[in-house]
Amino acid sequence: MQINILAGGPTELWPDNLFEEPGLWIGADRGAWRLYQHGMAMMMAVGDFDSLAASELATLQAHLQANEIIHVQAEKDETDTELALRYAQEQKPDQIKVFGATGGRVDHLLSNLWLMADPVFHDIVEKTTFIDRLNTVSYVQPGEKTVRKVPHTKYLGFMPINDVADFHIIDAKYPLALTENVAKMWSSNEFKTDVVHISLKTGIVMVTQSRD
Amino acid sequence: MQINILAGGPTELWPDNLFEEPGLWIGADRGAWRLYQHGMAMMMAVGDFDSLAASELATLQAHLQANEIIHVQAEKDETDTELALRYAQEQKPDQIKVFGATGGRVDHLLSNLWLMADPVFHDIVEKTTFIDRLNTVSYVQPGEKTVRKVPHTKYLGFMPINDVADFHIIDAKYPLALTENVAKMWSSNEFKTDVVHISLKTGIVMVTQSRD
């Protein structure tokens, strides 16, 4: 099962054909309103929707109620996207795709991209992908791992998002061998074939695949 | 002296009145072309400009030559923005503002925002700010520090970009006291007055000020 989360980021960063994604949908914050506007069924909505106009809010709340859609508000220590991910996680999905989580506020973007560093998400780290028009962001846990090329992307980037030991990029255009953790985005790498092999001993490495 | 760097990110994320900034300009990558297009004098240009069309490239190169503007290309281990920052650093400025460094490719954004984690930039960490339409990103080194509110922003975020010990947010809307490093963006905080006090013992904390 695939679960898709739509967060409230700028719509111009949505990939083409967003709503043709298979799977079930969760709306986070303004993302719930946008799912409603696009006639998409959602399994859950999260947020206080304080960015919606009064009439939008009333329409959305009536829709959630009429369709018996679960609706929760995040506590102050959680973000809407975090709570959406926790609910998705409980459904034991094979894959989670998060859209609308980039662009706009830098604190939102970084908050979203670093969620996978929270130990509570341990079992979905390698199942979760953040996707926008130009970028696909995935994550790798310790071990010897294979990264597959996402179609229509060109550039490959790797970044330790917490304490990563013995990080190796084995067969990309620019190999890398690090024993100590370095807090740095290794950007503008490229695939030589359709797969790249990497390894790490501890921590989590973020993998970005992008196009201009 | 203030030095401004214009990188090649999306122009729609530029703040209003960008070219009214005081100080000297450096163009990084497509940013050099945009400075030329806007009739802005630049002290240095960096990049291979491979994203420019042949005619644009010829025009820019003639302009750089005619005006005796320093032009260097980054090595494969450096990004254009990194090299621009190093050149800015050598001029011993009071302040460095970086524009055009957000939006578009996530690997570029993260590469830019994490440059301040490189020890080579130690002496400009607290002088450097990344700015776009919605965000101002600055950095704090160890000590007891004061963060001043940037006009027209609402939200305040804090994120350790390397190994930060004893991080305290003292008098913002949501205080925080951490002894161990946590790889997390603490987003959606707010000022109570026009200043917030924070302290840290080691590492570097990124400070984001944003609006919706």
Side-chain angles (χ1 to χ4, degrees), chain A residues 76 104-111 114 117 134-135 155 159 161 174 183 185 187-188 206 208 210-212, chain B residues 76 104-111 114 117 134-135 155 159 161 174 183 185 187-188 206 208 210-212:
Chain A
K76 83 166 175 53
R105 279 170 53 188
V106 163
D107 63 337
H108 276 171
L109 171 71
L110 297 179
S111 164
W114 261 258
L134 303 179
N135 304 280
Y155 304 102
M159 183 170 184
I161 64 165
Y174 305 113
M185 161 51 84
S187 62
S188 296
M206 177 195 294
T208 62
S210 312
R211 58 189 175 88
D212 280 315
Chain B
K76 83 166 175 51
R105 280 171 52 188
V106 164
D107 62 337
H108 275 172
L109 171 71
L110 297 179
S111 165
W114 261 257
L134 303 178
N135 305 281
Y155 303 103
M159 182 168 186
I161 64 165
Y174 305 112
M185 163 50 85
S187 62
S188 296
M206 177 194 296
T208 62
S210 312
R211 57 188 176 91
D212 281 315

Side-chain angles (χ1 to χ4, degrees), chain A residues 12-16 102 130-137 150 152-155 208-212, chain B residues 10 103-107:
Chain A
E12 62 268 25
L13 297 182
W14 287 354
D16 292 337
T102 58
F130 291 81
I131 299 170
D132 69 22
R133 275 193 80 74
L134 303 179
N135 304 280
T136 298
V137 180
V150 172
H152 312 301
T153 61
K154 178 172 180 192
Y155 304 102
T208 62
Q209 298 194 49
S210 312
R211 58 189 175 88
D212 280 315
Chain B
R105 280 171 52 188
V106 164
D107 62 337

